[in-house]
Amino acid sequence: MSRSIAGKLLVPVGALMLCAGIAGAQAPLRSAVFSADSARSRKTNQRSIVDTVTTTLSKLEMHETTVAPGKSSHPPHRHGHEELMVIRTGDVEVLQGTTTRMAHAGDVIFMASNELHGLKNAGKTDASYLVIRIDPHDVPSDAKAAANPAAP
């Protein structure tokens, strides 16, 4: 192979190797502290804190949501993963299956896998809550739940 052809091949091959490394497995999250100002805005009402793999989870995602009085961040839904929600400020109405409960600042909500759920700000001021999404490596598929969101 001529020197000029070999030189031209090195760049594309090197680029492919770099892309393969980027597309490879993500290193698991190590112990960390996430300062209050480290989050980035994801939507107008959400601040993303972390979205990654850990040693025992295929996904750990945390974000803070702020909802105006009388509003919801999205319609009731269900999914295969489980979530914890820590109410930071305000009062929220919590739909879990066919039951509605109230949660207030300091309360913790657990949402089970594939259970219909939703939150609505029931107060007169903004409500904010931290969402912690937990996906174990064997999390059930969302496909069935998404096909029939109102199913029990």
Side-chain angles (χ1 to χ4, degrees):
M1 184 179 303
S2 77
R3 183 177 209 127
S4 62
I5 293 174
K8 290 178 183 175
L9 288 176
L10 286 178
V11 173
V13 170
L16 285 173
M17 289 171 50
L18 179 61
C19 289
I22 291 170
Q26 182 180 5
L29 179 66
R30 305 282 304 181
S31 298
V33 172
F34 302 99
S35 64
D37 63 355
S38 69
R40 69 187 193 297
S41 291
R42 193 161 77 174
K43 297 179 182 175
T44 57
N45 67 334
Q46 283 188 359
R47 291 181 331 115
S48 179
I49 298 167
V50 67
D51 189 348
T52 190
V53 299
T54 73
T55 303
T56 59
L57 300 174
S58 64
K59 182 179 191 91
L60 171 65
E61 189 266 331
M62 293 186 286
H63 66 270
E64 182 180 46
T65 298
T66 302
V67 181
K71 302 290 183 182
S72 297
S73 61
H74 45 68
H77 63 284
R78 63 180 76 236
H79 40 65
H81 63 269
E82 295 176 329
E83 293 177 322
L84 292 169
M85 291 147 182
V86 181
I87 307 302
R88 297 182 58 156
T89 63
D91 303 298
V92 295
E93 183 180 278
V94 182
L95 172 67
Q96 294 177 310
T98 58
T99 302
T100 301
R101 299 177 172 96
M102 290 299 297
H104 312 281
D107 291 349
V108 178
I109 301 163
F110 173 72
M111 299 297 192
S113 174
N114 286 314
E115 183 175 64
L116 182 67
H117 65 273
L119 273 67
K120 179 180 178 181
N121 183 343
K124 296 186 185 302
T125 61
D126 284 355
S128 67
Y129 50 92
L130 175 68
V131 177
I132 304 167
R133 174 180 173 166
I134 305 162
D135 290 28
H137 291 289
D138 60 347
V139 69
S141 170
D142 286 347
K144 183 191 286 185
N148 191 3

